[in-house]
Structures are given as C-alpha cells and as structure tokens.
Amino acid sequence: MKKNPDQTIIEPLWTKNFLLIMATNLVVFLGFQIIMPIMPLYIQSLGVNESLIGIVTGAFTLTGVFICPFAGRILDERGRLPIYMLGLAICALSIFSYSLANTVFLLLMFRLIHGLGWGVATTGAGTIASDLIPRPRLGEGMGYYGLTTVFAMAIAPSIGLQLIHYTSYHNIFLLSGTITIGALLLALPIRIPPMEKKPEQKGSLFEKTAYRPAVAIFFITLTYGAVVTFLAIYTTQLGIANIGPFFTVYAITLLAVRPLSGKLADKKGDSIVIIPGILALIIAMLLLAFAKTLPVFLLAGFVYGVGFGATNPALQALAVRKVDPSRRGAANSTYMNGFDLGIGLGAVIWGLISSATSYSFMYVLTVIPCFSPFSSIY
C-alpha cells in the first residue's frame, strides 16, 4: 500500500479480487444483453400485442425487485459469494429454459424465475464490488466497475440483433445460458475480506440512507424501460432494419463518461454530474420521440449515454457511501430495487401507452419522469 504525504494509507483499487468481480460481471452482462433486445421480438413472434410484450418483459424485473431486499439481508448475514453464485446458477438455468417456451404463459414463468436469479446476482455483484473498493475512491471504483456492464452493452445487443438473421431464438438462448455458466466459473476464485459481524445491528430489509438515490434512479430507469423494450420494434416500423448501432454508440459513450463522472463526483460532489446528466436524459428522450433516421437515433444514443453515464455511478456511490459495512448488502439491494423497478414498470407502463397512442408520443411522455429525480435528491 502507498501512503499520502500525511502518512495515511492509500488502499489499492486494482486488486485481484476487484478485477475478478469486474470480469465476472462483464461475462454475466454479455450473456444477458445478447437476449435483452431480441426478447420483445421473440414475444412478438408468439403473436401478442405491445401491452402484453411490456407485461412479459416487465415480469422479469418485478420478481427481481421482490427478491432484492431479501437478497441484501442474506448477503449481509450469510456471506456474499455463495449467494451470488446461487443467483448466477438460477439465471443460467432460466435462460436455457427460454428455448422450451413455446407459449406466452411458459415464457412468463421462466421470466419470473430469471428475475429472481437476476435480483440476487446483481445485488451480490454490486455488494462484493463495494466491499473491495476503498472508501475514498468509491465513486471512481463504482464507475470503473460499471464499465463492465457498459462494455457488454456496447457489443452484446448488436450481436443479438445480428444473430436473429442467421440462427434461431433457441440457439441464441443456448449461447446466452452458456456464457452465464462461464460467469459462474469465473466467480469461484473471488475472495472477499472478512467483516466483523454485528448481529445487534440487524435491521430492516431496506437501508434508509439509500432511499433517495433509489427513488432518483427509479425515475431515470423508467426511461430505460422504454428504450430497451420498444426501440427495436419502433425503429423497425420506421424502416430501420437494425438499431443495434444505437446501443453501441450509447455504450461507448458510457465507457467514456462513467469513470470521469465517478471521479468528478468524488472530488466535487454529486450535483456536478447528476444535474447535467438529468438534462442530457431529457434531451435524449425528445430526440428519440422525433427521430426518423438512423443518424438522429445515433445522436440520441450518444446523449442518452452521457446522461445515464453521469447519473448512475454517482447515485450508486451515494447509496452506499455512508452505510456501515454490515449494511452494504441492504443498501445495494435498496438501490437496485429502484433501478430494476423503474425498468420493469417502465416496460409495462410504456407498453400500455404505446398500444393506445404511438411510440413517438410515448417517447415524448418519457420526459416527464426525468424531472422527478430533482425533487428526490435536492
């Protein structure tokens, strides 16, 4: 370890275990993001309308939201790694099962089970990462950790959207499940520093210090529910055959913005990145509402990447910065509840709205929740 001029110890950020959890999270999200943009198309192929597409897509997230608080408590009480690996195993088995779903009902059941595993896995990964990051570099570390998700989003959605032109949904699900098994194997060598157990501090399933960041990210990810669920269908109607480059531009922008925004938030405060990030999200959703050509959609992807890349790492760091180590699992689960609930409810709400109006008008309305984080944080 290095020391500052005042002789305080500087804990290293780039440890073996931190790199391992980053690699594991990268592989998990590669498997997940391959099927994310094609799932609405798969559901549509079963002969259902937009509102039901939103419900089936959102069901995944709602079970994740249900399990997150319990996962957070178990992670705090029973240890991180075994619970995390259990979540990964459930995810893999659920993805393999998608290839067996030849009815909407079966697909809905598998989506519900997948959501349980995903809630456990994402809460576990975020908690492990926050355990391994030195407190003074928490915003920076969570920014780097989040890059694994971003890198997966930079390449995996485009791969999934390309694969549907060359192979079956069945084979894509098999590929995704196999990748998730690979993540499970990568997690085996991770070692987490032991923490002092404080049974007298056993509290609620939710961590109150994380409420405000969780509410803020809920409203932000309401917009993401509209993007990830309906953008491929919307652009197909406009005559754009492959919207995969949108996700690539979005993710590459996140790769650039997240580390900078996390470091800036650590040094200058959260507001300096959160407020401009929210404004960027508003502009991005308006661009999506009125875009007609691929270049305009790519511009929207860039602006959306700036907004999401600025707000998410700062809010996640804010959720865990001041909590006791014995409550980090609860804090992460509280934050992830807001994150996942926004995506899930967004898929349902925007599905109902788009089926009654149009996708263009729906994206205009997504501007409304972008204003709500101001009141929840400030």
Side-chain angles (χ1 to χ4, degrees), residues 285-286 289 350 353 357 360-370:
M285 301 318 292
L286 290 174
W350 305 127
I353 291 174
T357 57
S360 180
F361 184 69
M362 177 198 75
Y363 281 115
V364 171
L365 294 182
T366 60
V367 170
I368 296 173
C370 292

Side-chain angles (χ1 to χ4, degrees), residues 223-272:
T223 67
Y224 189 67
V227 171
V228 77
T229 306
F230 299 108
L231 189 60
I233 299 174
Y234 174 41
T235 53
T236 299
Q237 291 181 356
L238 293 174
I240 300 172
N242 182 12
I243 196 59
F246 168 92
F247 294 100
T248 302
V249 169
Y250 161 65
I252 290 173
T253 307
L254 281 177
L255 282 170
V257 171
R258 281 190 65 112
L260 297 176
S261 65
K263 187 177 291 187
L264 190 60
D266 286 338
K267 292 181 178 179
K268 302 292 185 179
D270 301 305
S271 297
I272 200 168

Side-chain angles (χ1 to χ4, degrees), residues 343-354:
I343 298 175
L345 285 183
V348 175
I349 292 169
W350 305 127
L352 294 171
I353 291 174
S354 63

Side-chain angles (χ1 to χ4, degrees), residues 22 26 143-155 247-261 302 305-306 308-310:
M22 287 182 66
L26 169 63
Y144 284 123
Y145 164 76
L147 289 182
T148 58
T149 302
V150 174
F151 184 76
M153 292 174 63
I155 59 175
F247 294 100
T248 302
V249 169
Y250 161 65
I252 290 173
T253 307
L254 281 177
L255 282 170
V257 171
R258 281 190 65 112
L260 297 176
S261 65
F302 168 76
V306 171
F308 209 83

Side-chain angles (χ1 to χ4, degrees), residues 60-70 115 119 206 333 336-342 344:
F60 163 87
T61 307
L62 295 179
T63 52
V65 168
F66 168 78
I67 199 64
C68 264
F70 301 98
F206 299 96
S333 71
M336 291 308 300
N337 255 356
F339 190 102
D340 291 338
L341 188 61

Side-chain angles (χ1 to χ4, degrees), residues 182-253:
L184 184 62
L185 297 176
L186 268 175
L188 287 172
I190 296 174
R191 296 294 177 265
I192 305 164
M195 295 184 181
E196 180 185 356
K197 293 186 177 181
K198 299 180 180 181
E200 72 278 2
Q201 291 189 6
K202 180 177 179 179
S204 66
L205 294 173
F206 299 96
E207 173 54 47
K208 63 181 181 180
T209 59
Y211 284 166
R212 292 169 68 188
V215 171
I217 199 64
F218 164 77
F219 286 113
I220 289 171
T221 55
L222 276 175
T223 67
Y224 189 67
V227 171
V228 77
T229 306
F230 299 108
L231 189 60
I233 299 174
Y234 174 41
T235 53
T236 299
Q237 291 181 356
L238 293 174
I240 300 172
N242 182 12
I243 196 59
F246 168 92
F247 294 100
T248 302
V249 169
Y250 161 65
I252 290 173
T253 307

